[in-house]
Amino acid sequence: MQPYYEANKFLEMYQEPLFLLFVIHIIILTYIVGFMLIRNAKSGSRMVKSGTALVLLLSGPMLYTFERGNIILWIPFLCLAFIQFYDSENRILKEIGIICLAIAAGIKMTPAILGIILIVEKRWKEAFRAVIYGVVMFIGPFFLLKGGISNISLMFRNLGILMEKYADAEGCSIRNIFGTFEKLFGLQDTSVTIVSIVTILVSVCLLLCAFFSKKKWEKVMALTLIFMTAPNYAGYYCLIYLIPSITLFLNDETHRISDILILMSGLFIFNPVQSQLIQFGFDYHLGVVLSLVVLIYRGISYSYGGIMKMRRS
């Protein structure tokens, strides 16, 4: 990378009018498609649909991702398209939904976890096609680069370096949350082993929630929290992954009292004014913790109920 910095290649690239025009067009198109998808997924009146879409598109995580120019800006909308269309009776829309999940997985890999929904619902044919599409979307682009598929090992090596370098940075992974609250309360650093064990246990509980829950928003949010919080590092921008599940949550007509915590979580996470609240701990970190607590409890509760039901039968 050093030769590029020395030659100011990146600076020249961002000052190039055609490149800026391309970026602006992509961002505008992404926001238009995102608005349409959220509006289509949200139930209620036109005003409610449009208002929800605008609030989510102008939320803190979305604006931050927009400012960073991160390609994951597409992922929540690709995932939302998958969630909307994978069970459609229209074959074309169903295939588009599965392909959208494959593209999302090709961009970031971790959204592939949402494919577990196909397994839970025993949609074996769709799951098989999703795997095929995912492999094509992941490996295909490497053939456009010098070195071809030999770059895959290089990519994983660089990912490992990145995760290690930013493991203690601000973010929404479990390791990042541990670090944030340690700094907030002046605690000693938690050992990596303990954080790893907690991460595994949390992921298992969330997976149980996804398998045993009857509500789609719980399944989607549980799986989303797995691929959002399990890595060593997940930047603030990764919070946009929750857009599909929070949209489904707002559609639910029946709620428990504990769903208030999910609503509070959404307010903390999508609040665009994070900097003024972080010194008190009432920021997106607390929002993620609230979501985790609710869905972990439900994962344990649902799995226990399922086991007891199997014993009776």
Side-chain angles (χ1 to χ4, degrees):
M1 297 294 287
Q2 194 62 31
Y4 288 94
Y5 286 122
E6 292 175 355
N8 286 326
K9 290 291 184 182
F10 292 116
L11 182 60
E12 291 177 6
M13 179 178 70
Y14 287 113
Q15 289 179 339
E16 175 63 41
L18 288 177
F19 178 79
L20 289 174
L21 190 62
F22 169 76
V23 171
I24 291 170
H25 275 82
I26 290 296
I27 291 173
I28 291 174
L29 179 62
T30 302
Y31 264 75
I32 291 173
V33 172
F35 180 84
M36 293 172 65
L37 282 169
I38 296 172
R39 195 174 182 277
N40 186 57
K42 183 71 183 74
S43 60
S45 65
R46 291 183 179 180
M47 184 176 294
V48 169
K49 291 180 176 182
S50 299
T52 302
L54 285 173
V55 167
L56 292 175
L57 290 173
L58 297 177
S59 64
M62 274 297 294
L63 293 175
Y64 180 77
T65 309
F66 165 76
E67 186 271 335
R68 300 301 296 172
N70 198 312
I71 195 171
I72 74 162
L73 193 69
W74 293 357
I75 290 180
F77 309 124
L78 290 167
C79 292
L80 189 56
F82 163 70
I83 293 162
Q84 282 186 261
F85 302 138
Y86 79 89
D87 56 354
S88 173
E89 295 181 1
N90 186 309
R91 291 184 179 181
I92 296 176
L93 288 178
K94 178 184 288 189
E95 216 62 24
I96 288 174
I98 297 172
I99 291 172
C100 283
L101 177 63
I103 295 172
I107 293 173
K108 198 67 176 177
M109 290 193 295
T110 49
I113 294 175
L114 284 178
I116 290 176
I117 291 175
L118 300 175
I119 297 173
V120 172
E121 298 184 7
K122 297 181 180 180
R123 297 176 180 271
W124 308 117
K125 292 181 180 179
E126 289 87 345
F128 177 75
R129 294 203 302 276
V131 171
I132 298 299
Y133 293 149
V135 170
V136 172
M137 294 299 176
F138 178 73
I139 297 179
F142 285 101
F143 289 100
L144 303 176
L145 303 173
K146 184 179 179 180
I149 59 174
S150 62
N151 289 304
I152 294 178
S153 59
L154 180 63
M155 183 196 74
F156 282 108
R157 189 199 73 176
N158 291 342
L159 278 175
I161 295 172
L162 179 71
M163 290 295 179
E164 192 61 33
K165 181 178 180 180
Y166 290 101
D168 298 321
E170 285 283 327
C172 54
S173 72
I174 290 175
R175 184 169 179 179
N176 298 144
I177 291 171
F178 262 98
T180 299
F181 282 102
E182 286 162 1
K183 292 176 183 177
L184 184 65
F185 297 107
L187 304 174
Q188 292 183 344
D189 292 344
T190 309
S191 71
V192 176
T193 304
I194 293 175
V195 174
S196 299
I197 292 172
V198 171
T199 301
I200 292 170
L201 292 175
V202 167
S203 298
V204 169
C205 292
L206 292 173
L207 198 58
L208 289 172
C209 182
F211 269 93
F212 288 100
S213 175
K214 301 297 183 183
K215 294 190 175 185
K216 184 177 284 189
W217 76 262
E218 289 181 344
K219 294 177 185 288
V220 175
M221 185 173 287
L223 294 173
T224 301
L225 286 171
I226 291 176
F227 69 76
M228 193 181 81
T229 63
N232 278 346
Y233 173 70
Y236 174 55
Y237 45 79
C238 290
L239 292 167
I240 65 174
Y241 295 158
L242 289 169
I243 287 177
S245 57
I246 203 69
T247 302
L248 296 177
F249 168 77
L250 294 173
N251 283 346
D252 202 357
E253 295 181 356
T254 57
H255 287 284
R256 303 182 184 185
I257 295 177
S258 58
D259 283 349
I260 295 174
L261 296 178
I262 298 293
L263 186 61
M264 290 175 61
S265 168
L267 294 174
F268 286 133
I269 289 171
F270 293 106
N271 178 11
V273 191
Q274 295 286 335
S275 59
Q276 294 181 10
L277 299 172
I278 194 169
Q279 57 182 322
F280 305 108
F282 295 102
D283 66 340
Y284 68 90
H285 295 99
L286 180 58
V288 174
V289 170
L290 289 175
S291 295
L292 288 172
V293 168
V294 172
L295 293 182
I296 287 171
Y297 171 77
R298 291 186 185 180
I300 296 171
S301 176
Y302 292 154
S303 57
Y304 176 77
I307 292 170
M308 295 303 294
K309 187 177 180 181
M310 288 173 62
R311 284 187 176 181
R312 294 192 196 99
S313 59

